[in-house]
Amino acid sequence: MRNFYTSLVLLLAMAFILPVQAASEFAEKHVVLQISDDDPFKQTLVLNVANNLIKHYGQEKVDVEIVAFGPGLRLLFENNANSDRINSLTTNKVIFSACGNTIEGMSKQLGHAPALHKDAKVVPGGVVRIIDLVDQGYQLIKP
Amino acid sequence: MIKIQSKNILITAAVIGAMTTSTVQAANWLMIQGTEPSGAAERAKVWGFVQAQYQKNTSDENTTDPTGGYIPPKLIGPNLTSQQQFNVNRARIGVRGTGMPLDSNINYFLLTEFGNNGITAGNNGSGHVTDASITLNEIPGARIRVGLFKTPGAEEGLQAIHVFDYINFSAVTNQMLLERYPNQTYTGNIAPVTLPSPTPLNGFDKSVGAFRDTGVQVFDTFKMSDWEHSYAVMIGNGNGLNFGDNDNNKDTYLYWSSELVFSGEGARREGMKMFAWTQNGKRRLDNTNDSTHNPTKFDRDRSGIGFKYLKKPFRVSAEYMKGDGMIFVGPDKPSMWINDSAGAVAQGVGDGANGKANGYYLEGGWYIPGSKWEIDLRYDVYNRLTDDAAFAAGPNIGKSFEMQFKNITLGAQYHINKKTRINMEVTDMSAEAVDFGPPSASNPNNNLDGLDKVYAVQITHIF
């Protein structure tokens, strides 16, 4: 019976730990990349950084999440010119998070919600998402 | 410390990555010039380029004959007052982007010229708007571009001039496509000159067309596997950079290209492109040699077909073009066609207003592997006034004024970096009035005798 409770506790602990470790259970590095400004060069840059991280550490050894908010959300627009690169990074387990607050603000300006890339995951707030990830041990990089 | 180091490495890697990955851009001239990358365009991207050059023409005036003199091909344009000169032939600055970055469906393009060339020479001051357009990308398969911009047509004209592989255009592009607009009223022929020239040989009082027009264009590109098919349909004033219309007629432009894309993107994308185009319009011209302002309309039709193959280290391209009506017969003839008071074509001019012409170029390049050098070679032919009526009287009875121009250009380019390069080229020119014999008095070949070479060096910096 004691083994049962021990196993249960371990299972519960893993249930809490696993989401924190996100994509790869073997990841040794956890990086969150911030894109929040309007400059198209920054879009290229943040994708390059993600790509270089995957190449350097290997897909299984690093978790990479790109959080887009403010003007930087344009990176995750459905028809963004970098969509092919986003598709490629997604297959390498890179996560793309779109700020819900920004979407709400842009919706007011556009008169409709901006169409997002199919793999973009909407989070309540981009900054909040970054803070949460940093609390979980992620390193924040702002290319 | 380790954290800081790893961050620095990441940032360094990112910067290197950014430098080696060019911005995603549309893939042909219609798209490169008329659209912006979706979701990744700036509100206002300032850009431009400067081209500075030196050219020397080694032709002589044919002093063995008393009627010989310097004619336009023996001088350096656009001023045509010297055989050698330094020039800032292009100094362009513009801004492009999307006014509201959230909405990628609308973009704009504005460009101005401050260099010394056919756009700004003469009475046009030192600055001129060359492009001012808005593109609406709302309808799939039918983008709409309105304003002043390059018309869909020949490769030499449509392509971005700052990546043009030569300094000077081929003869057929320069004479048949780069449109000169007749002066509003009759202007007499300017005779061959001695140097220093008492009168500039360039007598036009308007900008050249610069392969541009003001109007509306519907266009788009469709990707099918490795192929890319593009079309453009345009209606314009047919009045070049002069914004408004002056003849109550509109020009129509049709363009199609199909390209097998090999790799890359942007202006130097590798692929095999085939294209065809046609332009049709009318021009208003006062061509009678009298004091009455009585302009009439003449057709101006142009068409062409060509291909371009680029897969480094090799490039080959060719284009055949033909024209009907409003054939330019030299900058010294600002009325383009001159009648005497009796209505007969004047000696030594030819019927440009109703004339026909054709020409072609064949060129290739070799990018020397492992170096920043590129070697270029071009052969071009232009047959002007191919159906010109023969003189009915006078010493040249029975002879027409058909002219044939042949040029061979050998060039080299040194790419200092992606935005800066030096062009060097030498063009061996020849021209002949085909119905006339060896140079002699009252013979146009007398002035053409002595035509020799043009040496040119030019530096281009894009910012």
Side-chain angles (χ1 to χ4, degrees):
Chain A
M1 190 55 117
R2 204 170 72 180
N3 284 344
F4 171 78
Y5 285 122
T6 305
S7 301
L8 189 63
V9 168
L10 281 173
L11 280 173
L12 285 171
M14 287 176 71
F16 281 105
I17 292 167
L18 279 177
V20 174
Q21 291 186 335
S24 174
E25 59 187 298
F26 302 110
E28 296 167 358
K29 304 287 183 185
H30 311 281
V31 180
V32 54
L33 301 173
Q34 174 183 327
I35 171 93
S36 55
D37 62 44
D38 204 24
D39 186 355
F41 177 73
K42 291 291 182 67
Q43 294 186 7
T44 306
L45 190 59
V46 77
L47 296 174
N48 287 343
V49 171
N51 193 50
N52 290 338
L53 285 168
I54 298 292
K55 276 202 296 190
H56 182 81
Y57 291 109
Q59 176 192 318
E60 297 297 324
K61 298 289 187 183
V62 61
D63 287 338
V64 180
E65 181 163 337
I66 296 176
V67 178
F69 63 93
L73 185 67
R74 287 203 303 156
L75 173 66
L76 301 182
F77 280 10
E78 185 179 34
N79 295 320
N80 185 283
N82 298 297
S83 290
D84 287 345
R85 296 195 66 196
I86 294 173
N87 292 339
S88 172
L89 287 168
T90 302
T91 61
N92 282 307
K93 304 284 175 56
V94 174
I95 294 171
F96 290 86
S97 294
C99 173
N101 293 329
T102 302
I103 293 170
E104 192 178 328
M106 287 182 174
S107 301
K108 288 176 184 169
Q109 290 189 55
L110 287 170
H112 56 82
L116 298 180
H117 189 279
K118 60 181 173 51
D119 293 320
K121 181 185 69 175
V122 178
V123 297
V127 173
V128 172
R129 178 65 181 167
I130 288 172
I131 291 170
D132 288 347
L133 289 173
V134 169
D135 285 348
Q136 292 167 23
Y138 276 66
Q139 283 183 274
L140 172 62
I141 305 291
K142 294 180 282 184
Chain B
M1 186 61 130
I2 291 170
K3 210 176 207 178
I4 292 170
Q5 278 182 343
S6 64
K7 185 175 177 180
N8 287 341
I9 290 168
L10 285 173
I11 291 171
T12 305
V15 169
I16 292 169
M19 290 171 70
T20 54
T21 307
S22 55
T23 305
V24 174
Q25 175 60 282
N28 57 48
W29 300 124
L30 295 174
M31 301 295 282
I32 286 173
Q33 295 169 6
T35 67
E36 297 291 335
S38 180
E42 293 182 42
R43 185 185 299 274
K45 178 185 179 183
V46 177
W47 73 285
F49 59 95
V50 175
Q51 287 182 328
Q53 64 171 217
Y54 173 79
Q55 294 205 58
K56 180 178 176 62
N57 191 317
T58 56
S59 304
D60 67 61
E61 60 180 322
N62 186 21
T63 51
T64 56
D65 189 289
T67 61
Y70 287 103
I71 55 173
K74 296 179 177 179
L75 301 169
I76 305 297
N79 310 86
L80 301 176
T81 53
S82 176
Q83 280 200 300
Q84 53 175 313
Q85 72 173 16
F86 293 99
N87 188 21
V88 177
N89 53 314
R90 293 186 184 89
R92 296 190 185 175
I93 185 166
V95 59
R96 60 185 297 181
T98 176
M100 184 179 179
L102 293 185
D103 187 355
S104 294
N105 286 336
I106 303 172
N107 57 271
Y108 69 94
F109 187 106
L110 179 66
L111 187 62
T112 54
E113 170 67 279
F114 292 94
N116 176 44
N117 54 41
I119 294 172
T120 54
N123 299 323
N124 297 298
S126 58
H128 207 296
V129 173
T130 61
D131 301 82
S133 73
I134 300 164
T135 303
L136 308 173
N137 306 287
E138 304 280 355
I139 306 170
R143 301 171 194 266
I144 300 170
R145 191 177 186 190
V146 297
L148 171 66
F149 51 90
K150 279 194 170 182
T151 57
E155 183 73 7
E156 277 188 302
L158 182 57
Q159 72 173 182
I161 194 64
H162 52 281
V163 295
F164 184 42
D165 291 305
Y166 300 89
I167 296 171
N168 293 310
F169 292 121
S170 64
V172 59
T173 297
N174 177 39
Q175 294 195 41
M176 194 179 79
L177 300 183
L178 184 59
E179 189 170 2
R180 278 75 164 181
Y181 291 87
N183 291 352
Q184 187 70 16
T185 56
Y186 169 77
T187 308
N189 182 28
I190 304 168
V193 296
T194 54
L195 291 180
S197 170
T199 310
L201 271 171
N202 189 345
F204 286 105
D205 58 15
K206 293 179 183 172
S207 299
V208 297
F211 314 108
R212 288 165 169 85
D213 197 4
T214 304
V216 181
Q217 174 182 266
V218 180
F219 70 106
D220 213 337
T221 290
F222 306 93
K223 293 179 180 173
M224 296 177 181
S225 185
D226 292 334
W227 283 86
E228 198 174 270
H229 306 286
S230 303
Y231 80 94
V233 178
M234 180 180 174
I235 299 174
N237 288 331
N239 202 18
L241 300 177
N242 300 301
F243 287 114
D245 196 4
N246 69 344
D247 62 2
N248 202 33
N249 270 284
K250 296 290 170 285
D251 279 29
T252 56
Y253 305 82
L254 298 174
Y255 178 90
W256 178 270
S257 73
S258 291
E259 180 170 7
L260 176 60
V261 179
F262 299 145
S263 63
E265 54 200 13
R268 296 192 184 275
R269 184 177 69 178
E270 295 186 351
M272 168 72 182
K273 181 169 74 172
M274 294 156 284
F275 55 91
W277 55 271
T278 180
Q279 305 174 351
N280 305 96
K282 292 184 184 299
R283 296 294 180 270
R284 189 167 171 264
L285 170 66
D286 175 10
N287 65 332
T288 49
N289 189 8
D290 53 38
S291 58
T292 307
H293 180 50
N294 52 351
T296 53
K297 289 178 183 174
F298 295 90
D299 289 336
R300 181 184 186 277
D301 301 325
R302 301 287 185 270
S303 57
I305 184 168
F307 78 93
K308 185 168 190 174
Y309 170 90
L310 172 60
K311 188 171 178 60
K312 288 183 178 178
F314 299 110
R315 183 193 71 245
V316 179
S317 69
E319 188 167 2
Y320 172 79
M321 295 161 263
K322 63 179 186 177
D324 189 349
M326 294 302 292
I327 300 299
F328 172 57
V329 289
D332 54 327
K333 302 170 182 66
S335 289
M336 301 184 80
W337 186 44
I338 301 170
N339 278 357
D340 62 20
S341 56
V345 175
Q347 187 85 358
V349 177
D351 183 358
N354 296 290
K356 293 182 179 177
N358 63 67
Y360 65 89
Y361 66 81
L362 173 63
E363 70 86 35
W366 179 47
Y367 302 81
I368 300 175
S371 80
K372 295 181 176 181
W373 287 93
E374 178 184 342
I375 305 296
D376 304 300
L377 182 65
R378 182 180 68 193
Y379 176 64
D380 67 88
V381 173
Y382 179 47
N383 302 304
R384 194 173 81 188
L385 301 185
T386 50
D387 67 341
D388 198 42
F391 291 106
N396 292 316
I397 185 168
K399 295 173 180 173
S400 76
F401 212 78
E402 180 180 350
M403 304 281 291
Q404 186 174 68
F405 299 82
K406 293 180 179 176
N407 298 320
I408 299 175
T409 302
L410 176 63
Q413 297 182 68
Y414 181 73
H415 298 265
I416 298 172
N417 60 38
K418 284 182 72 173
K419 301 289 186 181
T420 311
R421 75 182 198 282
I422 298 173
N423 286 61
M424 293 151 274
E425 70 182 35
V426 55
T427 299
D428 188 14
M429 303 179 292
S430 65
E432 180 187 16
V434 297
D435 268 5
F436 292 79
S440 65
S442 302
N443 180 333
N445 286 326
N446 192 41
N447 281 326
L448 293 170
D449 196 36
L451 203 57
D452 193 29
K453 295 181 177 62
V454 175
Y455 296 88
V457 59
Q458 174 177 281
I459 183 166
T460 301
H461 181 65
I462 306 164
F463 58 90

